[in-house]
Amino acid sequence: MKFYIGTDHAGFSIKDEVIALLRARGCEVVDLGPTSDARVDYPDFGHKVALAVLEDAGSFGIVICGTGIGISLAANKHHGIRAALCHDAYTAQMARGHNNANILAFGQRIVGLGVIESMIDAFISTPFEGGRHAMRVDKIEC
Ligand code: RB5
């Protein structure tokens, strides 16, 4: 799987560890920044990751800010993006299985590395179930 990752300053310090977790699982990762913990605006990186995912068919994204809320809201402004704000392995699993999420979002101030690892494992190992869920996911776009 290929992932684009972006954060704001409140998600920056966990970014390298998340990248390492993904690479250890055989995923390709493109780091879209930021490159330091200087204050930045979460929408800039939410949009950046969303556009990269849309331009690279079949790819996925990870966005991280303090809560995961702002950066996921920004990513979800793009048609075709389904950024799921997750808090544990179950929400990450359902985000893929039922919602066909193409971006995993979480908050560095909310979840620790152990939970992040379990979310990543759930997200990368769960296929979209399709069927009745496909029709519902189609209805998300308006
Ligand atoms: C930054 O302080 C914080 O507002 C941001 O990381 C995020 O939590 C917004 O949703």
Side-chain angles (χ1 to χ4, degrees), residues 5-82:
I5 187 168
T7 76
D8 72 353
H9 54 284
F12 175 77
S13 66
I14 202 82
K15 178 156 60 73
D16 283 348
E17 287 174 285
V18 173
I19 290 171
L21 285 173
L22 289 165
R23 290 193 174 138
R25 285 154 177 76
C27 298
E28 182 184 349
V29 188
V30 180
D31 183 356
L32 296 180
T35 54
S36 81
D37 65 358
R39 221 164 263 254
V40 291
D41 299 327
Y42 57 79
D44 295 338
F45 292 88
H47 292 313
K48 227 176 179 180
V49 171
L51 290 170
V53 168
L54 288 173
E55 279 166 20
D56 188 356
S59 69
F60 294 88
I62 291 192
V63 292
I64 312 164
C65 65
T67 59
I69 296 171
I71 202 162
S72 59
L73 289 175
N76 275 318
K77 287 294 178 186
H78 299 263
H79 284 281
I81 289 298
R82 292 172 299 281

Side-chain angles (χ1 to χ4, degrees), residues 75-99:
N76 275 318
K77 287 294 178 186
H78 299 263
H79 284 281
I81 289 298
R82 292 172 299 281
L85 176 54
C86 296
H87 300 99
D88 49 34
Y90 182 69
T91 47
Q93 178 195 331
M94 296 304 280
R96 285 290 308 127
H98 284 195
N99 309 116

Side-chain angles (χ1 to χ4, degrees), residues 119-130:
M119 291 195 295
I120 287 172
D121 282 334
F123 195 83
I124 66 179
S125 65
T126 306
F128 179 46
E129 290 177 29

